[in-house]
Structures are given as structure tokens and as C-alpha cells.
Amino acid sequence: MQKTIIVYSSVDGHTKEICQKIASQLEDQVDIVSVDDNPIVEEYDHIIIGASIRYGKYRESLFDFIDKNKNTIDTKKNAFFSVNVVARKKGKDTPETNPYVQKFLNKTKWKPTKLSVFAGKVDYPRYNFL
């Protein structure tokens, strides 16, 4: 059986929910791990990395993880997906047209084999006015 790791970078948990949905669609053995837990990726056949945008940026721990593991990631089947509110807009809902995916690709030396983008969720009731 193939093994897949889904590494996520999330602040409010929406990206992790997307990871769980992706995992439920795979027939592989799947582990879902936060980028902050410094996962070891060598033992996996597939590596999927998902990250959300916060205040217009990806978290630096995402880039640190990719830089540290790029050589291994490049030898595996791999994919990247971005979660951002801009993806709700027509014309910004594909990896080729989404400004945050393009910003990501310009900032990293990693060139994912597959790319995707998902519309983010802003959970206003969850935020305190102050």
C-alpha cells in the first residue's frame, strides 16, 4: 500500500479540514501532520502540502519546511494547494490565475508536480470584536 503524507500550514483549522477531506478520498495510508510538527517525509510515496493565507502571506514555517525537505519532496509524487479567500472570485480560482499561488511559486525554489487552490473561509462569528 502506498503511503501519503499531507502536511498543512493553518491558523484557524480550515486548511486541516480540507486535508481531512482529501485524505478521505485517497486509498493510500494517509498521515495528516502540521508543518509546525516538523514531519519526516522520507518514508512516504506521496507528499501533499497545503497552506492558508493570513494577512496576505503564507507562514514562514511553510517555507522553512519546504527548504529543509526540498530534495526529498522532489523525488516523490507531490502536490501543493493554497487556501485563500481570493479563490472565491471568478478569474482567481485556478492555480494559474490565483495571485497567492503565483506569489508562492515565485518565493520558493520548489516546483510542485500538481497545484490546486481552494476558497478560504472567513468565520466572522468566531472572531471577537475587540
Short mmCIF file of all heavy atoms in Angstrom, two decimals, residues 52-106:
data_model
loop_
_atom_site.label_atom_id
_atom_site.label_comp_id
_atom_site.label_asym_id
_atom_site.label_seq_id
_atom_site.Cartn_x
_atom_site.Cartn_y
_atom_site.Cartn_z
N SER A 52 -2.62 27.94 4.09
CA SER A 52 -3.57 29.05 4.02
C SER A 52 -2.83 30.38 4.04
O SER A 52 -1.67 30.46 4.42
CB SER A 52 -4.55 28.98 5.20
OG SER A 52 -3.84 29.11 6.42
N ILE A 53 -3.56 31.38 3.65
CA ILE A 53 -3.06 32.76 3.64
C ILE A 53 -3.58 33.45 4.89
O ILE A 53 -4.74 33.31 5.26
CB ILE A 53 -3.58 33.50 2.39
CG1 ILE A 53 -2.95 32.92 1.14
CG2 ILE A 53 -3.33 34.99 2.48
CD1 ILE A 53 -1.47 33.12 1.03
N ARG A 54 -2.72 34.22 5.52
CA ARG A 54 -3.12 35.03 6.67
C ARG A 54 -2.51 36.41 6.48
O ARG A 54 -1.30 36.52 6.33
CB ARG A 54 -2.63 34.39 7.96
CG ARG A 54 -3.06 35.07 9.22
CD ARG A 54 -4.57 34.96 9.41
NE ARG A 54 -4.90 35.19 10.79
CZ ARG A 54 -5.83 34.56 11.45
NH1 ARG A 54 -6.56 33.66 10.86
NH2 ARG A 54 -6.07 34.85 12.70
N TYR A 55 -3.35 37.42 6.43
CA TYR A 55 -2.89 38.80 6.20
C TYR A 55 -2.04 38.90 4.94
O TYR A 55 -1.02 39.57 4.91
CB TYR A 55 -2.15 39.34 7.41
CG TYR A 55 -2.97 39.30 8.67
CD1 TYR A 55 -2.55 38.54 9.76
CD2 TYR A 55 -4.17 40.00 8.77
CE1 TYR A 55 -3.31 38.48 10.92
CE2 TYR A 55 -4.94 39.94 9.93
CZ TYR A 55 -4.51 39.19 10.99
OH TYR A 55 -5.26 39.12 12.14
N GLY A 56 -2.46 38.17 3.91
CA GLY A 56 -1.79 38.26 2.62
C GLY A 56 -0.52 37.45 2.47
O GLY A 56 0.16 37.55 1.46
N LYS A 57 -0.20 36.61 3.46
CA LYS A 57 1.06 35.87 3.41
C LYS A 57 0.88 34.43 3.88
O LYS A 57 0.01 34.13 4.69
CB LYS A 57 2.10 36.53 4.31
CG LYS A 57 2.47 37.93 3.90
CD LYS A 57 3.51 38.49 4.84
CE LYS A 57 3.86 39.91 4.43
NZ LYS A 57 4.87 40.49 5.29
N TYR A 58 1.76 33.59 3.37
CA TYR A 58 1.90 32.25 3.93
C TYR A 58 2.82 32.36 5.14
O TYR A 58 3.66 33.24 5.21
CB TYR A 58 2.54 31.30 2.91
CG TYR A 58 1.69 31.06 1.69
CD1 TYR A 58 1.96 31.71 0.49
CD2 TYR A 58 0.63 30.17 1.73
CE1 TYR A 58 1.18 31.49 -0.63
CE2 TYR A 58 -0.15 29.94 0.60
CZ TYR A 58 0.14 30.60 -0.57
OH TYR A 58 -0.64 30.38 -1.67
N ARG A 59 2.68 31.44 6.07
CA ARG A 59 3.53 31.44 7.26
C ARG A 59 4.95 31.03 6.89
O ARG A 59 5.16 30.18 6.03
CB ARG A 59 2.93 30.50 8.30
CG ARG A 59 1.57 31.02 8.77
CD ARG A 59 0.78 30.05 9.61
NE ARG A 59 1.52 29.66 10.80
CZ ARG A 59 1.53 28.43 11.29
NH1 ARG A 59 0.83 27.48 10.73
NH2 ARG A 59 2.19 28.16 12.39
N GLU A 60 5.93 31.63 7.53
CA GLU A 60 7.34 31.35 7.24
C GLU A 60 7.69 29.89 7.52
O GLU A 60 8.57 29.33 6.86
CB GLU A 60 8.26 32.29 8.01
CG GLU A 60 8.40 33.65 7.37
CD GLU A 60 8.87 33.62 5.92
OE1 GLU A 60 9.83 32.90 5.60
OE2 GLU A 60 8.26 34.33 5.11
N SER A 61 7.02 29.26 8.48
CA SER A 61 7.31 27.86 8.78
C SER A 61 7.05 26.96 7.57
O SER A 61 7.69 25.92 7.41
CB SER A 61 6.52 27.38 10.00
OG SER A 61 5.13 27.52 9.79
N LEU A 62 6.13 27.37 6.68
CA LEU A 62 5.88 26.62 5.45
C LEU A 62 7.12 26.62 4.57
O LEU A 62 7.57 25.57 4.11
CB LEU A 62 4.70 27.25 4.70
CG LEU A 62 4.48 26.75 3.27
CD1 LEU A 62 3.97 25.32 3.29
CD2 LEU A 62 3.53 27.67 2.53
N PHE A 63 7.69 27.80 4.37
CA PHE A 63 8.88 27.91 3.52
C PHE A 63 10.09 27.23 4.16
O PHE A 63 10.90 26.62 3.46
CB PHE A 63 9.16 29.37 3.19
CG PHE A 63 8.07 29.98 2.35
CD1 PHE A 63 7.14 30.84 2.93
CD2 PHE A 63 7.95 29.68 1.01
CE1 PHE A 63 6.12 31.39 2.17
CE2 PHE A 63 6.94 30.23 0.23
CZ PHE A 63 6.02 31.08 0.82
N ASP A 64 10.19 27.32 5.47
CA ASP A 64 11.29 26.63 6.18
C ASP A 64 11.20 25.13 5.96
O ASP A 64 12.20 24.47 5.69
CB ASP A 64 11.26 26.95 7.68
CG ASP A 64 11.57 28.40 7.98
OD1 ASP A 64 12.12 29.11 7.12
OD2 ASP A 64 11.24 28.84 9.12
N PHE A 65 9.98 24.58 6.09
CA PHE A 65 9.77 23.15 5.89
C PHE A 65 10.14 22.74 4.46
O PHE A 65 10.85 21.75 4.24
CB PHE A 65 8.32 22.77 6.19
CG PHE A 65 7.98 21.37 5.80
CD1 PHE A 65 8.35 20.30 6.60
CD2 PHE A 65 7.32 21.12 4.61
CE1 PHE A 65 8.06 18.99 6.21
CE2 PHE A 65 7.02 19.82 4.22
CZ PHE A 65 7.39 18.76 5.02
N ILE A 66 9.67 23.50 3.49
CA ILE A 66 9.96 23.17 2.09
C ILE A 66 11.45 23.26 1.81
O ILE A 66 12.02 22.36 1.18
CB ILE A 66 9.14 24.07 1.14
CG1 ILE A 66 7.65 23.71 1.26
CG2 ILE A 66 9.63 23.93 -0.30
CD1 ILE A 66 6.71 24.68 0.58
N ASP A 67 12.10 24.31 2.26
CA ASP A 67 13.54 24.45 2.05
C ASP A 67 14.31 23.28 2.65
O ASP A 67 15.22 22.73 2.02
CB ASP A 67 14.06 25.76 2.65
CG ASP A 67 13.63 26.99 1.88
OD1 ASP A 67 13.15 26.85 0.72
OD2 ASP A 67 13.75 28.09 2.43
N LYS A 68 13.93 22.89 3.85
CA LYS A 68 14.61 21.79 4.56
C LYS A 68 14.41 20.45 3.86
O LYS A 68 15.29 19.59 3.88
CB LYS A 68 14.08 21.72 5.99
CG LYS A 68 14.65 20.61 6.82
CD LYS A 68 14.03 20.60 8.20
CE LYS A 68 14.39 19.35 8.97
NZ LYS A 68 13.63 19.21 10.20
N ASN A 69 13.24 20.26 3.23
CA ASN A 69 12.88 18.95 2.68
C ASN A 69 12.78 18.92 1.15
O ASN A 69 12.35 17.91 0.59
CB ASN A 69 11.54 18.50 3.27
CG ASN A 69 11.65 18.23 4.74
OD1 ASN A 69 12.18 17.21 5.15
ND2 ASN A 69 11.16 19.15 5.55
N LYS A 70 13.19 19.98 0.50
CA LYS A 70 13.00 20.09 -0.96
C LYS A 70 13.58 18.91 -1.73
O LYS A 70 12.93 18.37 -2.63
CB LYS A 70 13.58 21.39 -1.49
CG LYS A 70 13.33 21.56 -2.99
CD LYS A 70 14.02 22.78 -3.54
CE LYS A 70 13.87 22.87 -5.04
NZ LYS A 70 14.38 21.73 -5.78
N ASN A 71 14.79 18.49 -1.41
CA ASN A 71 15.41 17.38 -2.15
C ASN A 71 14.57 16.11 -2.06
O ASN A 71 14.40 15.40 -3.06
CB ASN A 71 16.83 17.13 -1.66
CG ASN A 71 17.76 18.27 -2.05
OD1 ASN A 71 17.49 19.02 -2.98
ND2 ASN A 71 18.85 18.40 -1.32
N THR A 72 14.06 15.81 -0.89
CA THR A 72 13.21 14.62 -0.73
C THR A 72 11.88 14.81 -1.44
O THR A 72 11.41 13.91 -2.14
CB THR A 72 12.96 14.33 0.78
OG1 THR A 72 14.22 14.13 1.41
CG2 THR A 72 12.07 13.11 0.96
N ILE A 73 11.25 15.97 -1.26
CA ILE A 73 9.96 16.24 -1.90
C ILE A 73 10.06 16.07 -3.41
O ILE A 73 9.17 15.50 -4.05
CB ILE A 73 9.45 17.65 -1.54
CG1 ILE A 73 9.16 17.74 -0.04
CG2 ILE A 73 8.21 18.00 -2.35
CD1 ILE A 73 8.92 19.17 0.46
N ASP A 74 11.16 16.53 -3.99
CA ASP A 74 11.34 16.46 -5.44
C ASP A 74 11.44 15.02 -5.96
O ASP A 74 11.18 14.78 -7.14
CB ASP A 74 12.59 17.23 -5.87
CG ASP A 74 12.39 18.74 -5.86
OD1 ASP A 74 11.22 19.20 -5.89
OD2 ASP A 74 13.41 19.46 -5.83
N THR A 75 11.80 14.07 -5.10
CA THR A 75 11.92 12.67 -5.54
C THR A 75 10.61 11.90 -5.41
O THR A 75 10.54 10.75 -5.82
CB THR A 75 13.00 11.92 -4.73
OG1 THR A 75 12.58 11.81 -3.37
CG2 THR A 75 14.34 12.62 -4.82
N LYS A 76 9.59 12.54 -4.84
CA LYS A 76 8.30 11.88 -4.61
C LYS A 76 7.23 12.50 -5.50
O LYS A 76 7.39 13.61 -6.02
CB LYS A 76 7.86 12.09 -3.14
CG LYS A 76 8.91 11.79 -2.10
CD LYS A 76 9.15 10.32 -1.94
CE LYS A 76 10.16 10.09 -0.81
NZ LYS A 76 10.20 8.71 -0.40
N LYS A 77 6.11 11.80 -5.64
CA LYS A 77 4.94 12.43 -6.26
C LYS A 77 4.49 13.49 -5.27
O LYS A 77 4.34 13.21 -4.07
CB LYS A 77 3.84 11.40 -6.52
CG LYS A 77 4.23 10.42 -7.59
CD LYS A 77 3.10 9.46 -7.88
CE LYS A 77 3.52 8.49 -8.96
NZ LYS A 77 2.47 7.52 -9.27
N ASN A 78 4.27 14.70 -5.76
CA ASN A 78 3.99 15.78 -4.82
C ASN A 78 2.95 16.75 -5.38
O ASN A 78 2.72 16.80 -6.59
CB ASN A 78 5.28 16.51 -4.45
CG ASN A 78 5.94 17.19 -5.63
OD1 ASN A 78 5.45 18.20 -6.13
ND2 ASN A 78 7.06 16.64 -6.10
N ALA A 79 2.37 17.50 -4.46
CA ALA A 79 1.35 18.49 -4.84
C ALA A 79 1.32 19.59 -3.79
O ALA A 79 1.71 19.38 -2.64
CB ALA A 79 -0.01 17.83 -4.94
N PHE A 80 0.83 20.75 -4.22
CA PHE A 80 0.64 21.89 -3.32
C PHE A 80 -0.74 22.46 -3.57
O PHE A 80 -1.18 22.57 -4.71
CB PHE A 80 1.69 22.97 -3.58
CG PHE A 80 1.43 24.24 -2.80
CD1 PHE A 80 1.73 24.31 -1.44
CD2 PHE A 80 0.86 25.34 -3.40
CE1 PHE A 80 1.47 25.46 -0.71
CE2 PHE A 80 0.60 26.51 -2.68
CZ PHE A 80 0.91 26.57 -1.33
N PHE A 81 -1.42 22.82 -2.46
CA PHE A 81 -2.66 23.57 -2.62
C PHE A 81 -2.67 24.75 -1.67
O PHE A 81 -2.12 24.71 -0.58
CB PHE A 81 -3.91 22.70 -2.44
CG PHE A 81 -4.14 22.18 -1.05
CD1 PHE A 81 -4.88 22.92 -0.13
CD2 PHE A 81 -3.66 20.94 -0.67
CE1 PHE A 81 -5.11 22.44 1.15
CE2 PHE A 81 -3.90 20.44 0.60
CZ PHE A 81 -4.63 21.20 1.51
N SER A 82 -3.29 25.82 -2.15
CA SER A 82 -3.42 27.05 -1.38
C SER A 82 -4.87 27.23 -0.99
O SER A 82 -5.78 26.92 -1.77
CB SER A 82 -2.96 28.23 -2.24
OG SER A 82 -3.15 29.45 -1.56
N VAL A 83 -5.06 27.75 0.21
CA VAL A 83 -6.41 28.08 0.69
C VAL A 83 -6.44 29.58 0.93
O VAL A 83 -5.70 30.09 1.77
CB VAL A 83 -6.74 27.32 1.99
CG1 VAL A 83 -8.14 27.68 2.47
CG2 VAL A 83 -6.59 25.82 1.80
N ASN A 84 -7.27 30.29 0.15
CA ASN A 84 -7.35 31.73 0.31
C ASN A 84 -8.70 32.25 -0.15
O ASN A 84 -9.34 31.66 -1.03
CB ASN A 84 -6.19 32.43 -0.40
CG ASN A 84 -6.13 32.15 -1.88
OD1 ASN A 84 -6.89 32.72 -2.65
ND2 ASN A 84 -5.23 31.27 -2.29
N VAL A 85 -9.14 33.32 0.46
CA VAL A 85 -10.46 33.89 0.19
C VAL A 85 -10.56 34.41 -1.24
O VAL A 85 -11.63 34.34 -1.85
CB VAL A 85 -10.79 34.99 1.22
CG1 VAL A 85 -12.11 35.67 0.90
CG2 VAL A 85 -10.85 34.40 2.62
N VAL A 86 -9.47 34.89 -1.80
CA VAL A 86 -9.47 35.42 -3.17
C VAL A 86 -9.92 34.36 -4.17
O VAL A 86 -10.51 34.67 -5.20
CB VAL A 86 -8.06 35.97 -3.52
CG1 VAL A 86 -7.95 36.34 -4.98
CG2 VAL A 86 -7.73 37.16 -2.65
N ALA A 87 -9.70 33.09 -3.86
CA ALA A 87 -10.06 32.00 -4.77
C ALA A 87 -11.57 31.89 -4.97
O ALA A 87 -12.02 31.16 -5.85
CB ALA A 87 -9.50 30.68 -4.25
N ARG A 88 -12.35 32.62 -4.21
CA ARG A 88 -13.80 32.64 -4.41
C ARG A 88 -14.18 33.42 -5.66
O ARG A 88 -15.27 33.25 -6.18
CB ARG A 88 -14.49 33.30 -3.21
CG ARG A 88 -14.37 32.52 -1.94
CD ARG A 88 -15.03 33.27 -0.81
NE ARG A 88 -14.91 32.51 0.42
CZ ARG A 88 -15.65 32.71 1.48
NH1 ARG A 88 -16.57 33.65 1.48
NH2 ARG A 88 -15.47 31.98 2.55
N LYS A 89 -13.28 34.29 -6.11
CA LYS A 89 -13.58 35.17 -7.24
C LYS A 89 -13.29 34.47 -8.57
O LYS A 89 -12.23 33.87 -8.73
CB LYS A 89 -12.74 36.45 -7.15
CG LYS A 89 -13.04 37.27 -5.92
CD LYS A 89 -12.17 38.50 -5.88
CE LYS A 89 -12.45 39.30 -4.62
NZ LYS A 89 -11.59 40.49 -4.52
N LYS A 90 -14.24 34.59 -9.48
CA LYS A 90 -14.03 34.05 -10.82
C LYS A 90 -12.82 34.75 -11.44
O LYS A 90 -12.64 35.94 -11.30
CB LYS A 90 -15.27 34.28 -11.67
CG LYS A 90 -15.22 33.58 -13.00
CD LYS A 90 -16.60 33.38 -13.55
CE LYS A 90 -16.57 32.70 -14.88
NZ LYS A 90 -16.08 31.35 -14.86
N GLY A 91 -11.99 33.98 -12.07
CA GLY A 91 -10.78 34.52 -12.66
C GLY A 91 -9.59 34.49 -11.72
O GLY A 91 -8.48 34.79 -12.13
N LYS A 92 -9.82 34.10 -10.46
CA LYS A 92 -8.73 33.94 -9.50
C LYS A 92 -8.85 32.59 -8.80
O LYS A 92 -8.31 32.38 -7.73
CB LYS A 92 -8.75 35.08 -8.48
CG LYS A 92 -8.47 36.42 -9.14
CD LYS A 92 -8.33 37.53 -8.15
CE LYS A 92 -8.04 38.81 -8.91
NZ LYS A 92 -7.82 39.93 -8.05
N ASP A 93 -9.58 31.70 -9.43
CA ASP A 93 -9.93 30.41 -8.83
C ASP A 93 -9.17 29.22 -9.40
O ASP A 93 -9.54 28.08 -9.19
CB ASP A 93 -11.43 30.19 -8.93
CG ASP A 93 -11.96 30.29 -10.36
OD1 ASP A 93 -11.19 30.68 -11.27
OD2 ASP A 93 -13.15 30.00 -10.57
N THR A 94 -8.09 29.49 -10.11
CA THR A 94 -7.23 28.42 -10.61
C THR A 94 -5.79 28.72 -10.16
O THR A 94 -5.46 29.88 -9.90
CB THR A 94 -7.26 28.32 -12.15
OG1 THR A 94 -6.62 29.48 -12.70
CG2 THR A 94 -8.68 28.18 -12.68
N PRO A 95 -4.94 27.72 -10.11
CA PRO A 95 -3.55 27.98 -9.72
C PRO A 95 -2.85 28.99 -10.64
O PRO A 95 -2.03 29.78 -10.20
CB PRO A 95 -2.88 26.61 -9.81
CG PRO A 95 -3.98 25.64 -9.65
CD PRO A 95 -5.19 26.29 -10.27
N GLU A 96 -3.23 28.96 -11.91
CA GLU A 96 -2.59 29.86 -12.88
C GLU A 96 -3.03 31.31 -12.70
O GLU A 96 -2.29 32.23 -13.06
CB GLU A 96 -2.90 29.40 -14.32
CG GLU A 96 -2.37 28.03 -14.66
CD GLU A 96 -3.18 26.88 -14.08
OE1 GLU A 96 -4.39 27.04 -13.79
OE2 GLU A 96 -2.60 25.80 -13.92
N THR A 97 -4.22 31.52 -12.17
CA THR A 97 -4.75 32.89 -12.06
C THR A 97 -4.81 33.40 -10.62
O THR A 97 -5.10 34.57 -10.41
CB THR A 97 -6.17 32.97 -12.66
OG1 THR A 97 -7.04 32.07 -11.94
CG2 THR A 97 -6.17 32.61 -14.13
N ASN A 98 -4.54 32.55 -9.66
CA ASN A 98 -4.62 32.97 -8.27
C ASN A 98 -3.33 33.68 -7.86
O ASN A 98 -2.24 33.11 -7.95
CB ASN A 98 -4.87 31.76 -7.36
CG ASN A 98 -5.10 32.16 -5.93
OD1 ASN A 98 -4.16 32.32 -5.17
ND2 ASN A 98 -6.36 32.33 -5.56
N PRO A 99 -3.43 34.93 -7.42
CA PRO A 99 -2.21 35.69 -7.10
C PRO A 99 -1.39 35.09 -5.96
O PRO A 99 -0.16 35.21 -5.95
CB PRO A 99 -2.73 37.08 -6.74
CG PRO A 99 -4.17 36.89 -6.38
CD PRO A 99 -4.64 35.72 -7.17
N TYR A 100 -2.04 34.43 -5.00
CA TYR A 100 -1.29 33.85 -3.89
C TYR A 100 -0.52 32.60 -4.29
O TYR A 100 0.58 32.37 -3.81
CB TYR A 100 -2.21 33.58 -2.71
CG TYR A 100 -2.72 34.85 -2.09
CD1 TYR A 100 -4.06 35.19 -2.17
CD2 TYR A 100 -1.85 35.74 -1.48
CE1 TYR A 100 -4.52 36.39 -1.63
CE2 TYR A 100 -2.30 36.93 -0.93
CZ TYR A 100 -3.63 37.24 -1.01
OH TYR A 100 -4.09 38.43 -0.48
N VAL A 101 -1.09 31.81 -5.18
CA VAL A 101 -0.35 30.65 -5.69
C VAL A 101 0.86 31.14 -6.48
O VAL A 101 1.97 30.61 -6.33
CB VAL A 101 -1.25 29.74 -6.56
CG1 VAL A 101 -0.42 28.64 -7.22
CG2 VAL A 101 -2.36 29.13 -5.72
N GLN A 102 0.66 32.15 -7.28
CA GLN A 102 1.77 32.70 -8.07
C GLN A 102 2.84 33.30 -7.16
O GLN A 102 4.03 33.14 -7.39
CB GLN A 102 1.25 33.72 -9.09
CG GLN A 102 0.37 33.10 -10.16
CD GLN A 102 1.05 31.93 -10.86
OE1 GLN A 102 2.16 32.04 -11.34
NE2 GLN A 102 0.37 30.79 -10.90
N LYS A 103 2.41 33.98 -6.10
CA LYS A 103 3.35 34.54 -5.13
C LYS A 103 4.16 33.42 -4.46
O LYS A 103 5.36 33.53 -4.28
CB LYS A 103 2.57 35.33 -4.07
CG LYS A 103 3.41 36.07 -3.08
CD LYS A 103 2.53 36.66 -1.98
CE LYS A 103 2.41 38.14 -2.11
NZ LYS A 103 1.71 38.76 -0.96
N PHE A 104 3.47 32.33 -4.11
CA PHE A 104 4.13 31.17 -3.52
C PHE A 104 5.20 30.62 -4.47
O PHE A 104 6.34 30.38 -4.08
CB PHE A 104 3.11 30.08 -3.19
CG PHE A 104 3.73 28.78 -2.80
CD1 PHE A 104 4.18 28.57 -1.51
CD2 PHE A 104 3.88 27.76 -3.74
CE1 PHE A 104 4.78 27.36 -1.16
CE2 PHE A 104 4.48 26.56 -3.39
CZ PHE A 104 4.92 26.36 -2.10
N LEU A 105 4.82 30.40 -5.73
CA LEU A 105 5.74 29.83 -6.71
C LEU A 105 6.96 30.72 -6.94
O LEU A 105 8.06 30.23 -7.17
CB LEU A 105 5.01 29.57 -8.03
CG LEU A 105 3.95 28.47 -7.97
CD1 LEU A 105 3.17 28.43 -9.27
CD2 LEU A 105 4.57 27.12 -7.65
N ASN A 106 6.76 32.02 -6.85
CA ASN A 106 7.88 32.95 -7.03
C ASN A 106 8.81 32.99 -5.82
O ASN A 106 9.98 33.32 -5.96
CB ASN A 106 7.36 34.36 -7.31
CG ASN A 106 6.78 34.48 -8.69
OD1 ASN A 106 7.20 33.79 -9.61
ND2 ASN A 106 5.79 35.34 -8.85
#
